[in-house]
């Protein structure tokens, strides 16, 4: 009798071990599948469940890290096709197509609106000196979208796509290359934090001790008019007073930050508005901030 009880207990233990291993394996398998993961936040869950208003602001300040985007592990494929030759300094039309790894077209119905747009494209050249933020509109073919832009330099541009899945509420990233004819710009690696443009001065204020990899740090944007005592009136863009984007030298990904104080239902200093962000990157090095 004693031997029989011990044998049964051993069998049960093995079953528990196998079931646990199987459950963990299934969990990670579902996380890798596009559109198969349960939403993480209540707002995302309601949108994914078919709420009538799916224009939820999904970009939140908690997403302060650097997103590495690798086309080999992305759940979608991003194809970029210029309509004719791309030449530096010339306006051009570009069509992108988005599909799952199984070849299913990703349509507008598959994408939630985030910060007033369906798809955000972050386009940057090899020097990190020419950056464009575009929102492509749907084309005639399902899963295709078009936009216009004027590249400022020649060379290979990186095109990062960012959107949110309507099924899961989770962010989706993809990347592709765009070749532009013309002379490429020389990389600029100087730490310039002050720019004067169109009668205004823009200053990025960083901590005196700088930043450390894997540690969040404050980043402040200060705006003032070059003309004495002139007021500065900031207007909302994509639901915020400002957006900040950063790229590493290798263009392995990006960081997309929004103000710590979200939205525009608050008052800023009319002469020297200040907006605070939180920056965090995983690797040391030079990062270009736009």
């Amino acid at each position: 009798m004693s031997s029989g009880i011990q044998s049964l207990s051993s069998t049960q233990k093995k079953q528990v071990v196998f079931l646990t291993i199987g459950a963990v394996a299934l969990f990670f398998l579902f996380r890798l599948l596009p559109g198969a993961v349960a939403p993480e936040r209540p707002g995302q869950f309601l949108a994914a469940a078919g709420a009538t208003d799916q224009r939820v602001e999904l970009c939140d300040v908690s997403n302060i890290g650097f997103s590495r985007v690798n086309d080999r592990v992305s759940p979608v494929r991003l194809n970029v096709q210029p309509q004719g030759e791309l030449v530096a300094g010339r306006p051009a039309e570009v069509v992108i197509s988005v599909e799952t790894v199984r070849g299913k077209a990703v349509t507008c119905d598959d994408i939630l609106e985030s910060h007033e747009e369906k798809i955000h494209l972050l386009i940057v050249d090899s020097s990190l000196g020419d950056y464009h933020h575009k929102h492509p509109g749907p084309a005639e073919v399902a899963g295709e979208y078009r936009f216009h832009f004027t590249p400022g330099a020649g060379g290979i541009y990186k095109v990062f796509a960012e959107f949110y899945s309507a099924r899961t509420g989770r962010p989706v990233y993809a990347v592709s290359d765009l070749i532009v004819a013309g002379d490429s710009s020389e990389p600029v690696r100087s730490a310039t934090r002050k720019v004067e443009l169109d009668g205004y001065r823009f200053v990025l204020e960083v901590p005196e001790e700088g930043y450390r990899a894997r540690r969040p740090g404050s980043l402040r944007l200060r705006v003032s008019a070059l003309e004495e005592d002139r007021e500065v009136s900031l207007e909302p863009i994509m639901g915020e007073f400002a957006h900040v984007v950063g790229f590493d030298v290798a263009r392995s990904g990006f960081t997309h930050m929004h103000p710590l104080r979200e939205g525009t239902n608050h008052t800023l200093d009319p002469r020297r508005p200040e907006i605070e962000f939180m920056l965090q990157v995983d690797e040391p090095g030079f990062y270009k901030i736009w």
Side-chain angles (χ1 to χ4, degrees):
M1 179 67 70
S2 175
S3 175
I5 294 175
Q6 290 177 354
S7 176
L8 181 60
S9 176
S10 176
T11 300
Q12 289 177 328
K13 289 179 180 179
K14 290 180 180 179
Q15 290 176 340
V16 170
V17 170
F18 286 133
L19 287 173
T20 302
I21 293 174
V24 172
L26 283 174
F27 171 78
F28 284 104
L29 174 62
F30 280 120
R31 286 191 64 87
L32 292 174
L33 292 176
V37 187
E40 294 181 336
R41 296 195 294 273
Q44 296 173 353
F45 177 80
L46 291 175
T52 55
D53 186 359
Q54 294 193 353
R55 295 174 298 171
V56 288
E57 297 305 326
L58 297 174
C59 300
D60 63 278
V61 296
S62 63
N63 184 24
I64 62 174
F66 187 89
S67 301
R68 298 197 177 276
V69 185
N70 190 319
D71 57 0
R72 291 174 296 179
V73 298
S74 175
V76 298
R77 295 191 185 98
L78 174 66
N79 299 307
V80 182
Q81 185 62 50
Q83 304 303 286
E85 184 183 16
L86 280 182
V87 180
R90 295 184 189 175
E93 180 181 76
V94 180
V95 173
I96 68 168
S97 63
V98 185
E99 62 181 19
T100 67
V101 293
R102 297 179 180 177
K104 180 181 179 297
V106 178
T107 68
C108 285
D109 293 337
D110 299 319
I111 302 173
L112 290 178
E113 186 174 291
S114 64
H115 277 271
E116 303 177 357
E117 300 291 344
K118 287 281 188 174
I119 300 178
H120 298 265
L121 295 183
L122 292 70
I123 309 171
V124 64
D125 75 328
S126 58
S127 74
L128 305 183
D130 188 34
Y131 166 65
H132 303 258
H133 189 116
K134 294 294 181 178
H135 305 116
E140 293 76 16
V141 179
E144 290 189 356
Y145 308 83
R146 66 177 73 249
F147 67 96
H148 293 81
F149 92 119
T150 303
I156 300 177
Y157 279 70
K158 285 289 184 183
V159 181
F160 295 99
E162 177 186 30
F163 62 88
Y164 279 75
S165 167
R167 184 176 179 183
T168 68
R170 294 178 63 86
V172 179
Y173 307 109
V175 62
S176 187
D177 291 338
L178 192 59
I179 300 176
V180 178
D183 296 331
S184 58
S185 300
E186 291 295 326
V188 178
R189 300 290 182 260
S190 59
T192 302
R193 303 192 186 102
K194 181 188 298 184
V195 175
E196 294 182 357
L197 182 67
D198 296 334
Y200 296 94
R201 179 182 294 109
F202 302 86
V203 179
L204 282 178
E205 184 181 275
V206 304
E208 292 184 4
E209 65 276 13
Y211 296 100
R212 302 281 295 181
R214 295 175 291 280
R215 294 183 185 178
S218 174
L219 176 68
R220 294 177 185 270
L221 171 65
R222 300 180 186 273
V223 185
S224 60
L226 298 180
E227 183 181 334
E228 190 71 21
D229 294 329
R230 179 184 173 188
E231 290 194 355
V232 177
S233 178
L234 298 184
E235 297 182 358
I237 177 172
M238 294 180 290
E240 301 289 353
F241 283 124
H243 298 252
V244 171
V245 173
F247 301 95
D248 64 335
V249 173
R251 297 182 296 171
S252 63
F254 62 90
T255 176
H256 186 179
M257 295 166 281
H258 299 109
L260 288 180
R261 191 173 183 182
E262 294 184 278
T264 57
N265 294 325
H266 57 275
T267 303
L268 298 175
D269 187 315
R271 284 185 168 77
R272 289 178 175 78
E274 177 182 303
I275 305 173
E276 185 177 8
F277 303 84
M278 194 64 69
L279 171 66
Q280 178 175 315
V281 294
D282 294 333
E283 301 294 336
F286 180 88
Y287 292 82
K288 181 80 169 186
I289 299 294
W290 287 88

